[in-house]
């Protein structure tokens, strides 16, 4: 894999206001498909919102799940209902 891993084992990514994701570790724009490849290669991610400086890793990974063709057809309706109902 061509992406580098940061010295502390994380790939640091910033999500900018224009919704672009920039991998600070590899110094390049990164796509959802590249995020999938990193996760599949057991690379840990730290995704920060440029505006609020909040850690949004969970939010971005959720977007990857629901917005990429690789995953959106794997979630059946029952699982989606379960997820919504179990949220408190």
């Amino acid at each position: 894999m061509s992406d580098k891993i940061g010295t502390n084992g994380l790939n640091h990514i910033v999500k900018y206001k224009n919704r672009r994701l920039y991998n600070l570790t590899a110094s390049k724009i990164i796509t959802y498909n590249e995020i999938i490849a990193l996760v599949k290669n057991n690379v840990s991610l730290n995704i920060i919102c440029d505006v609020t400086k909040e850690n949004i890793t969970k939010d971005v990974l959720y977007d990857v799940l629901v917005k990429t063709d690789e995953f959106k057809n794997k979630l059946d309706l029952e699982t989606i209902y379960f997820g919504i109902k179990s949220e408190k």
Side-chain angles (χ1 to χ4, degrees), residues 37-51:
L38 289 171
V39 171
K40 285 183 175 182
N41 283 294
N42 296 314
V43 175
S44 295
L45 305 175
N46 182 42
I47 305 172
I48 302 298
C49 175
D50 184 53
V51 175

Side-chain angles (χ1 to χ4, degrees), residues 15-76:
K15 183 174 184 180
Y16 290 103
K17 192 174 182 180
N18 64 3
R19 295 177 285 172
R20 285 217 174 158
L21 296 163
Y22 187 79
N23 186 334
L24 295 171
T25 306
S27 300
K28 67 176 199 156
I29 299 290
I30 189 169
T31 66
Y32 280 173
N33 287 331
E34 290 169 316
I35 288 175
I36 291 168
L38 289 171
V39 171
K40 285 183 175 182
N41 283 294
N42 296 314
V43 175
S44 295
L45 305 175
N46 182 42
I47 305 172
I48 302 298
C49 175
D50 184 53
V51 175
T52 65
K53 308 300 184 213
E54 291 181 75
N55 185 322
I56 57 168
T57 305
K58 183 178 176 181
D59 298 327
V60 171
L61 292 178
Y62 175 78
D63 283 347
V64 167
L65 274 175
V66 298
K67 292 183 180 175
T68 59
D69 291 335
E70 182 169 350
F71 293 104
K72 74 178 172 184
N73 295 326
K74 291 183 180 179
L75 293 173
D76 63 17

